[in-house]
Amino acid sequence: MNSRLVKYASFFLLVSIIFIACKKDEEPEEELPTEENKPYTLDYGIFPTPNIPSDNPLTVEGVKLGRMLFYDNLLSGNNSMSCASCHKQENAFSDINRFSTGIHGIQGGRQAMAVFNLLWNTSGFFWDGRSTLLRDQALIPIQDPIEMHQMLPELVSELQASSNYPAQFKKAFGTSSVSTELIGKALEQFMYSIVSNRSKYDEYLKGNVSLTAQEERGEFLFNTEYNPAFPDASGADCRHCHGGDNFENDRYLNNGLDVDTDFVDFGRELVTGLAADRAKFKVTSLRNIELTPPYMHDGRFNTLEEVVEHYNQVKSSSTLDGSFGPQMPGGLQLSTEDKAALVAFLKTLTDFEMINDPRYAKP
Ligand code: HEC
Ligand code: HEC
């Protein structure tokens, strides 16, 4: 063999070794569940069996990793802010500021949303539903320039270089190689693990406590349709949209905050491109509503009293939900006592156990 041939032969040998070595690295390592990574026991009481994504089952180590990430300032561009900076447990994982302030001191234009019972939320995330999967949603605030303003590749290398994360990724997902996909999946697991169904009202439904007369009146108004022909049997029809176990209906609707000329945020239309979706927003859960002021997508109301005052006389617009039809144009005409009763009922939905649950607290 001449020397040139030897050179070529060894060159090809080297290339194939590198190729094989790289290929090996790229092969996906065994995912869930590993021996020490047990399924996470989700305690959801009377709620219907949730639809947990089959490609991301909740595991003890996965939820733990998600919780570490949720509370870690490393997730933001200048390491000053975590998800929990805007989603505080004491406020049912929301922010009591009208608009949350991001890492550069700039505020966004929407009110932070509460994070709990998201497993029973099956039609998108954010006020306008622009994220379909929770794992994708989780990566948006990280990159948002006015929220956490972090580059994902930079975050991946920071976590990879840290002393504790690679081992925790290994425990959770069977690989110590950090990736954007697994960050999203871990955050999804932790957020899905947050369940709220231990309020006074839940205890009342189980027959363990009683409601006051005022709370019972509020419950009646909340659950009963508006019917001007029979004032004694007429209610405020809140259940129409805020119904079911989670006090929401998984839809995007216009609840009469503005007339057409005052629409500022087009809400759902920004996602679907349909004028029929203009100024429609997610019907949020009313659980823990006492803890999550201010209210609505733009935080325009500071108190539940103001919210009830709003529903007493909603504003007409092209996309106003049809269910308000019977009460237009005069409004619900609730008495002072009935307005107070509705607020009293809403406060029975507060879950003090959830906000003090160590499983959801900063690790
Ligand atoms: C600077 C404040 C801020 C930070 C930090 C932040 N969020 Fe949010 N979050 C918001 C706001 C504001 C909204 C509503 C935005 C919208 O609808 O456009 C929101 C919405 C959400 C929702 C939607 C809930 C629902 O019911 O649809 C989830 C889930 C969520 N955030 C999780 C996270 C996670 C996970 C992190 C960390 C990776 C995070 N947030 C960081 C302010 C923040
Ligand atoms: C037609 C459906 C509909 C009806 C009926 C309805 N709501 Fe709502 N509700 C919504 C929508 C949609 C939002 C979110 C609107 C927004 O932010 O722009 C909302 C938001 C709220 C909020 C604020 C939630 C938050 O996280 O800031 C409260 C409180 C509330 N509703 C209470 C009530 C009460 C009390 C009643 C009965 C008097 C009622 N709703 C009737 C659709 C409805």
mmCIF file of all heavy atoms in Angstrom, residues 264-288:
data_model
loop_
_atom_site.group_PDB
_atom_site.id
_atom_site.type_symbol
_atom_site.label_atom_id
_atom_site.label_comp_id
_atom_site.label_asym_id
_atom_site.label_seq_id
_atom_site.Cartn_x
_atom_site.Cartn_y
_atom_site.Cartn_z
ATOM 1 N N VAL A 264 -59.540 47.109 23.465
ATOM 2 C CA VAL A 264 -58.114 47.398 23.357
ATOM 3 C C VAL A 264 -57.367 46.118 22.986
ATOM 4 O O VAL A 264 -56.600 46.075 22.031
ATOM 5 C CB VAL A 264 -57.573 47.955 24.705
ATOM 6 C CG1 VAL A 264 -56.063 48.147 24.624
ATOM 7 C CG2 VAL A 264 -58.275 49.248 25.068
ATOM 8 N N ASP A 265 -57.627 45.080 23.745
ATOM 9 C CA ASP A 265 -56.995 43.779 23.535
ATOM 10 C C ASP A 265 -58.012 42.905 22.805
ATOM 11 O O ASP A 265 -59.118 42.706 23.297
ATOM 12 C CB ASP A 265 -56.649 43.203 24.923
ATOM 13 C CG ASP A 265 -55.830 41.923 24.863
ATOM 14 O OD1 ASP A 265 -55.913 41.203 23.851
ATOM 15 O OD2 ASP A 265 -55.137 41.646 25.861
ATOM 16 N N PHE A 266 -57.633 42.396 21.626
ATOM 17 C CA PHE A 266 -58.584 41.611 20.835
ATOM 18 C C PHE A 266 -58.665 40.149 21.273
ATOM 19 O O PHE A 266 -59.409 39.362 20.713
ATOM 20 C CB PHE A 266 -58.271 41.714 19.335
ATOM 21 C CG PHE A 266 -58.769 42.986 18.703
ATOM 22 C CD1 PHE A 266 -59.327 44.005 19.468
ATOM 23 C CD2 PHE A 266 -58.698 43.159 17.325
ATOM 24 C CE1 PHE A 266 -59.797 45.185 18.886
ATOM 25 C CE2 PHE A 266 -59.170 44.330 16.723
ATOM 26 C CZ PHE A 266 -59.715 45.351 17.509
ATOM 27 N N GLY A 267 -57.850 39.760 22.271
ATOM 28 C CA GLY A 267 -57.980 38.435 22.881
ATOM 29 C C GLY A 267 -57.906 37.289 21.897
ATOM 30 O O GLY A 267 -56.965 37.175 21.118
ATOM 31 N N ARG A 268 -58.916 36.445 21.934
ATOM 32 C CA ARG A 268 -58.925 35.216 21.140
ATOM 33 C C ARG A 268 -58.743 35.476 19.642
ATOM 34 O O ARG A 268 -58.193 34.644 18.931
ATOM 35 C CB ARG A 268 -60.241 34.483 21.409
ATOM 36 C CG ARG A 268 -60.349 33.107 20.798
ATOM 37 C CD ARG A 268 -59.466 32.092 21.487
ATOM 38 N NE ARG A 268 -59.626 30.748 20.943
ATOM 39 C CZ ARG A 268 -58.687 29.814 20.945
ATOM 40 N NH1 ARG A 268 -57.516 30.091 21.489
ATOM 41 N NH2 ARG A 268 -58.892 28.625 20.439
ATOM 42 N N GLU A 269 -59.194 36.625 19.161
ATOM 43 C CA GLU A 269 -59.038 36.928 17.738
ATOM 44 C C GLU A 269 -57.557 36.925 17.327
ATOM 45 O O GLU A 269 -57.216 36.586 16.194
ATOM 46 C CB GLU A 269 -59.675 38.289 17.391
ATOM 47 C CG GLU A 269 -59.565 38.605 15.890
ATOM 48 C CD GLU A 269 -60.083 39.979 15.479
ATOM 49 O OE1 GLU A 269 -60.739 40.656 16.298
ATOM 50 O OE2 GLU A 269 -59.819 40.373 14.331
ATOM 51 N N LEU A 270 -56.663 37.300 18.248
ATOM 52 C CA LEU A 270 -55.232 37.333 17.940
ATOM 53 C C LEU A 270 -54.708 35.931 17.626
ATOM 54 O O LEU A 270 -53.677 35.779 16.971
ATOM 55 C CB LEU A 270 -54.450 37.920 19.126
ATOM 56 C CG LEU A 270 -54.842 39.337 19.560
ATOM 57 C CD1 LEU A 270 -54.113 39.728 20.835
ATOM 58 C CD2 LEU A 270 -54.560 40.337 18.441
ATOM 59 N N VAL A 271 -55.427 34.908 18.083
ATOM 60 C CA VAL A 271 -55.010 33.531 17.839
ATOM 61 C C VAL A 271 -55.721 32.943 16.633
ATOM 62 O O VAL A 271 -55.107 32.311 15.784
ATOM 63 C CB VAL A 271 -55.290 32.654 19.090
ATOM 64 C CG1 VAL A 271 -54.954 31.195 18.833
ATOM 65 C CG2 VAL A 271 -54.525 33.190 20.285
ATOM 66 N N THR A 272 -57.027 33.165 16.526
ATOM 67 C CA THR A 272 -57.803 32.517 15.453
ATOM 68 C C THR A 272 -57.913 33.379 14.203
ATOM 69 O O THR A 272 -58.249 32.879 13.134
ATOM 70 C CB THR A 272 -59.235 32.212 15.927
ATOM 71 O OG1 THR A 272 -59.915 33.462 16.178
ATOM 72 C CG2 THR A 272 -59.244 31.368 17.189
ATOM 73 N N GLY A 273 -57.687 34.682 14.343
ATOM 74 C CA GLY A 273 -57.841 35.585 13.211
ATOM 75 C C GLY A 273 -59.292 35.862 12.856
ATOM 76 O O GLY A 273 -59.577 36.496 11.838
ATOM 77 N N LEU A 274 -60.210 35.415 13.683
ATOM 78 C CA LEU A 274 -61.634 35.595 13.382
ATOM 79 C C LEU A 274 -62.210 36.800 14.126
ATOM 80 O O LEU A 274 -62.093 36.882 15.351
ATOM 81 C CB LEU A 274 -62.424 34.352 13.792
ATOM 82 C CG LEU A 274 -62.022 33.030 13.134
ATOM 83 C CD1 LEU A 274 -62.742 31.859 13.812
ATOM 84 C CD2 LEU A 274 -62.346 33.079 11.633
ATOM 85 N N ALA A 275 -62.875 37.689 13.378
ATOM 86 C CA ALA A 275 -63.495 38.852 14.022
ATOM 87 C C ALA A 275 -64.552 38.400 15.035
ATOM 88 O O ALA A 275 -64.814 39.090 16.023
ATOM 89 C CB ALA A 275 -64.114 39.765 12.966
ATOM 90 N N ALA A 276 -65.128 37.221 14.800
ATOM 91 C CA ALA A 276 -66.147 36.704 15.724
ATOM 92 C C ALA A 276 -65.544 36.374 17.099
ATOM 93 O O ALA A 276 -66.271 36.188 18.069
ATOM 94 C CB ALA A 276 -66.795 35.459 15.137
ATOM 95 N N ASP A 277 -64.223 36.295 17.167
ATOM 96 C CA ASP A 277 -63.556 36.008 18.443
ATOM 97 C C ASP A 277 -63.008 37.264 19.112
ATOM 98 O O ASP A 277 -62.278 37.185 20.103
ATOM 99 C CB ASP A 277 -62.406 35.009 18.231
ATOM 100 C CG ASP A 277 -62.916 33.589 18.054
ATOM 101 O OD1 ASP A 277 -63.998 33.285 18.583
ATOM 102 O OD2 ASP A 277 -62.234 32.797 17.378
ATOM 103 N N ARG A 278 -63.364 38.410 18.574
ATOM 104 C CA ARG A 278 -62.835 39.666 19.107
ATOM 105 C C ARG A 278 -63.230 39.874 20.575
ATOM 106 O O ARG A 278 -64.380 39.676 20.948
ATOM 107 C CB ARG A 278 -63.344 40.846 18.273
ATOM 108 C CG ARG A 278 -62.689 42.174 18.655
ATOM 109 C CD ARG A 278 -62.805 43.176 17.541
ATOM 110 N NE ARG A 278 -62.142 42.703 16.329
ATOM 111 C CZ ARG A 278 -62.247 43.322 15.141
ATOM 112 N NH1 ARG A 278 -62.962 44.429 15.025
ATOM 113 N NH2 ARG A 278 -61.628 42.836 14.087
ATOM 114 N N ALA A 279 -62.231 40.244 21.374
ATOM 115 C CA ALA A 279 -62.447 40.554 22.795
ATOM 116 C C ALA A 279 -63.022 39.378 23.580
ATOM 117 O O ALA A 279 -63.679 39.565 24.594
ATOM 118 C CB ALA A 279 -63.316 41.790 22.952
ATOM 119 N N LYS A 280 -62.737 38.173 23.086
ATOM 120 C CA LYS A 280 -63.120 36.988 23.864
ATOM 121 C C LYS A 280 -61.902 36.490 24.631
ATOM 122 O O LYS A 280 -60.797 36.452 24.088
ATOM 123 C CB LYS A 280 -63.652 35.882 22.944
ATOM 124 C CG LYS A 280 -64.998 36.245 22.326
ATOM 125 C CD LYS A 280 -65.611 35.077 21.582
ATOM 126 C CE LYS A 280 -66.966 35.500 21.008
ATOM 127 N NZ LYS A 280 -67.573 34.444 20.182
ATOM 128 N N PHE A 281 -62.131 36.124 25.869
ATOM 129 C CA PHE A 281 -61.041 35.663 26.738
ATOM 130 C C PHE A 281 -61.447 34.379 27.435
ATOM 131 O O PHE A 281 -62.622 34.021 27.479
ATOM 132 C CB PHE A 281 -60.683 36.754 27.763
ATOM 133 C CG PHE A 281 -60.076 37.972 27.116
ATOM 134 C CD1 PHE A 281 -60.888 39.022 26.689
ATOM 135 C CD2 PHE A 281 -58.716 38.039 26.889
ATOM 136 C CE1 PHE A 281 -60.335 40.128 26.055
ATOM 137 C CE2 PHE A 281 -58.163 39.142 26.263
ATOM 138 C CZ PHE A 281 -58.973 40.192 25.849
ATOM 139 N N LYS A 282 -60.436 33.743 27.980
ATOM 140 C CA LYS A 282 -60.664 32.463 28.643
ATOM 141 C C LYS A 282 -61.580 32.632 29.856
ATOM 142 O O LYS A 282 -61.396 33.552 30.662
ATOM 143 C CB LYS A 282 -59.309 31.921 29.090
ATOM 144 C CG LYS A 282 -59.351 30.569 29.747
ATOM 145 C CD LYS A 282 -57.921 30.044 29.813
ATOM 146 C CE LYS A 282 -57.828 28.855 30.705
ATOM 147 N NZ LYS A 282 -56.469 28.274 30.659
ATOM 148 N N VAL A 283 -62.554 31.759 29.969
ATOM 149 C CA VAL A 283 -63.399 31.712 31.169
ATOM 150 C C VAL A 283 -62.559 31.028 32.245
ATOM 151 O O VAL A 283 -62.326 29.828 32.185
ATOM 152 C CB VAL A 283 -64.692 30.904 30.926
ATOM 153 C CG1 VAL A 283 -65.521 30.836 32.205
ATOM 154 C CG2 VAL A 283 -65.506 31.499 29.780
ATOM 155 N N THR A 284 -62.068 31.802 33.186
ATOM 156 C CA THR A 284 -61.158 31.226 34.183
ATOM 157 C C THR A 284 -61.929 30.582 35.331
ATOM 158 O O THR A 284 -63.107 30.875 35.544
ATOM 159 C CB THR A 284 -60.240 32.320 34.763
ATOM 160 O OG1 THR A 284 -61.056 33.444 35.050
ATOM 161 C CG2 THR A 284 -59.162 32.709 33.786
ATOM 162 N N SER A 285 -61.228 29.736 36.055
ATOM 163 C CA SER A 285 -61.823 29.105 37.237
ATOM 164 C C SER A 285 -62.105 30.166 38.295
ATOM 165 O O SER A 285 -61.330 31.108 38.457
ATOM 166 C CB SER A 285 -60.850 28.082 37.818
ATOM 167 O OG SER A 285 -61.349 27.579 39.035
ATOM 168 N N LEU A 286 -63.199 30.007 39.025
ATOM 169 C CA LEU A 286 -63.461 30.948 40.129
ATOM 170 C C LEU A 286 -63.009 30.385 41.470
ATOM 171 O O LEU A 286 -63.183 31.025 42.506
ATOM 172 C CB LEU A 286 -64.945 31.334 40.174
ATOM 173 C CG LEU A 286 -65.459 32.096 38.948
ATOM 174 C CD1 LEU A 286 -66.878 32.581 39.183
ATOM 175 C CD2 LEU A 286 -64.552 33.268 38.587
ATOM 176 N N ARG A 287 -62.421 29.199 41.445
ATOM 177 C CA ARG A 287 -61.836 28.710 42.692
ATOM 178 C C ARG A 287 -60.718 29.680 43.112
ATOM 179 O O ARG A 287 -60.010 30.203 42.254
ATOM 180 C CB ARG A 287 -61.263 27.301 42.498
ATOM 181 C CG ARG A 287 -62.341 26.229 42.382
ATOM 182 C CD ARG A 287 -61.740 24.854 42.262
ATOM 183 N NE ARG A 287 -62.785 23.829 42.302
ATOM 184 C CZ ARG A 287 -63.277 23.300 43.431
ATOM 185 N NH1 ARG A 287 -62.804 23.694 44.603
ATOM 186 N NH2 ARG A 287 -64.230 22.389 43.386
ATOM 187 N N ASN A 288 -60.596 29.909 44.409
ATOM 188 C CA ASN A 288 -59.553 30.791 44.976
ATOM 189 C C ASN A 288 -59.625 32.229 44.476
ATOM 190 O O ASN A 288 -58.649 32.970 44.566
ATOM 191 C CB ASN A 288 -58.154 30.227 44.663
ATOM 192 C CG ASN A 288 -58.004 28.821 45.181
ATOM 193 O OD1 ASN A 288 -58.158 28.592 46.375
ATOM 194 N ND2 ASN A 288 -57.751 27.877 44.300
#
